[in-house]
Amino acid sequence: MSMQRDPMVIAGREFNSRLMVGTGKYASFQQMVQAIEISGAEIITVAVRRVNISDRSKESLLDHIDLKKYTLLPNTAGCYTAEDAVRTCRLAREAGMSDFVKLEVLGDEKTLFPDNEELLKAAKILVGEGFTVLPYCSDDVTVCRKLQDLGCAAVMPLGAPIGSGLGIRNPYNIKIILENISVPVIVDAGVGCASDAAIAMELGCDGVLMNTAIAGAQDPIAMAEAMKLAVIAGRLSFKAGRIPRKLYANASSPIEGLLG
Amino acid sequence: MKVIVNGDSSDIRDGSTVAGLLEALKIGRERVAVEVGLEIVPKACYDTHTLMEGDKVEIVQFVGGG
């Protein structure tokens, strides 16, 4: 099994890695490049922002990213209305020449939880314009179903608030989504450490997306490797099929042949 | 003439095109997207799209994000 290919398929495109990583919050571009490289991720998220007109000395993110190797997933972070999110996606497509977008429409600054009404509105417009839409959404199967029905290429429910590192706080909600949704389910947000990523994968998720858990770790490069291994381990563990949980012991060694 | 670029007023030569503005600002056209008055200007039109007095221009790029 471990040697077999087990790609994640999004909108007909195959990806060998089920880990998607962000490019924010790193101490330097060099650290970011190393962390992404060791994570094995093939899809990386980026944000869309104004070019600094007054100071052109700063290096550009894309000077450091091999676009032949990675698929960029521009996000709509910081957008609170469907209108702003759609505008950002159109700009992202023009800048990156790709239809992939991570759609997020936020409802609240403190929690960064999604505004489902605006999210659905934006998703409808963007799918209509030919975008491959991967929406960050609530852990709500009804919202996920609506996003799927609108034509989104995946759903990306949160495991806990963005950047919180609280881990997968909602395994049963994620499980319900997995049982009722046929497009890929990717946990986006909440992961704090490698075991959290493994738990998401053991639930049966198709992938995990994270940024802060790696970039904010004391050693981001080591954490990137830990996340790579955790996602692979979690996926294998899910596919292998765990033993049932039992209340009492069940000896691993035979009773027969015990010394009398 | 005056145009607004990324929120700030900017004095540019009359009849400047989007391409001319990017060149003046030393911004490579490959990795940015440009909007004039909320309408995206496709890269193929940078050389022909002439800016008008008071135009609101947005020039965006990709930055680190999650």
Side-chain angles (χ1 to χ4, degrees), chain A residues 22-24 45-51 53 56 61-63 72 74-75 87 90-92 94-96 102 104 211, chain B residues 5-7 25-28 30-35 38 40-44 46 58-66:
Chain A
T23 53
T45 59
V46 294
V48 178
R49 293 291 180 270
R50 282 173 165 170
V51 173
I53 302 297
R56 298 292 308 126
L61 175 75
L62 292 193
D63 293 338
L72 291 186
N75 68 28
R87 182 182 176 201
R90 289 174 182 152
L91 285 164
E94 184 61 26
K102 170 181 159 176
E104 55 178 282
N211 187 354
Chain B
V5 182
N6 287 0
L25 293 169
K26 298 189 171 57
I27 296 171
E30 290 311 314
R31 291 163 176 183
V32 297
V34 179
E35 211 184 59
L38 296 178
I40 286 180
V41 181
K43 283 187 168 52
Y46 285 0
E58 293 286 347
I59 307 170
V60 301
Q61 65 179 352
F62 292 132
V63 300

Side-chain angles (χ1 to χ4, degrees), chain B:
Chain B
M1 65 178 182
K2 276 195 173 15
V3 293
I4 309 288
V5 182
N6 287 0
D8 290 327
S9 182
S10 188
D11 241 324
I12 63 168
R13 199 163 34 81
D14 283 10
S16 285
T17 60
V18 170
L21 175 65
L22 290 175
E23 205 174 309
L25 293 169
K26 298 189 171 57
I27 296 171
R29 64 165 72 189
E30 290 311 314
R31 291 163 176 183
V32 297
V34 179
E35 211 184 59
V36 178
L38 296 178
E39 289 290 327
I40 286 180
V41 181
K43 283 187 168 52
C45 301
Y46 285 0
D47 292 309
T48 50
H49 189 110
T50 308
L51 296 170
M52 313 287 276
E53 172 85 33
D55 268 349
K56 287 195 173 110
V57 184
E58 293 286 347
I59 307 170
V60 301
Q61 65 179 352
F62 292 132
V63 300

Side-chain angles (χ1 to χ4, degrees), chain A residues 29-49:
Chain A
F29 281 130
Q30 191 200 5
Q31 187 188 58
M32 176 198 78
V33 168
Q34 277 182 275
I36 292 173
E37 170 82 36
I38 206 157
S39 78
E42 293 162 298
I43 299 175
I44 59 177
T45 59
V46 294
V48 178
R49 293 291 180 270

Side-chain angles (χ1 to χ4, degrees), chain A residues 4-25:
Chain A
Q4 284 174 11
R5 283 194 71 242
D6 178 29
M8 172 174 70
V9 183
I10 298 175
R13 283 184 62 186
E14 289 192 1
F15 299 93
N16 292 315
S17 172
R18 292 174 177 273
L19 172 60
M20 299 150 81
V21 299
T23 53
K25 297 184 178 174

Side-chain angles (χ1 to χ4, degrees), chain A residues 54-143:
Chain A
S54 52
D55 179 10
R56 298 292 308 126
S57 64
K58 284 187 182 161
E59 289 176 285
S60 156
L61 175 75
L62 292 193
D63 293 338
H64 299 271
I65 291 172
D66 183 354
L67 295 175
K68 290 190 204 81
K69 199 166 154 187
Y70 299 107
T71 297
L72 291 186
L73 183 62
N75 68 28
T76 60
C79 291
Y80 285 80
T81 63
E83 192 184 354
D84 281 350
V86 167
R87 182 182 176 201
T88 303
C89 287
R90 289 174 182 152
L91 285 164
R93 175 154 71 180
E94 184 61 26
M97 311 311 257
S98 157
D99 292 329
F100 271 57
V101 286
K102 170 181 159 176
L103 176 64
E104 55 178 282
V105 188
L106 305 172
D108 174 65
E109 278 180 29
K110 198 167 178 182
T111 61
L112 299 180
F113 283 155
D115 180 326
N116 293 322
E117 194 181 351
E118 293 293 302
L119 181 68
L120 290 164
K121 206 195 290 178
K124 188 174 186 182
I125 296 169
L126 291 167
V127 170
E129 293 184 11
F131 284 90
T132 299
V133 181
L134 287 73
Y136 155 72
C137 59
S138 306
D139 59 349
D140 175 334
V141 71
T142 305
V143 170

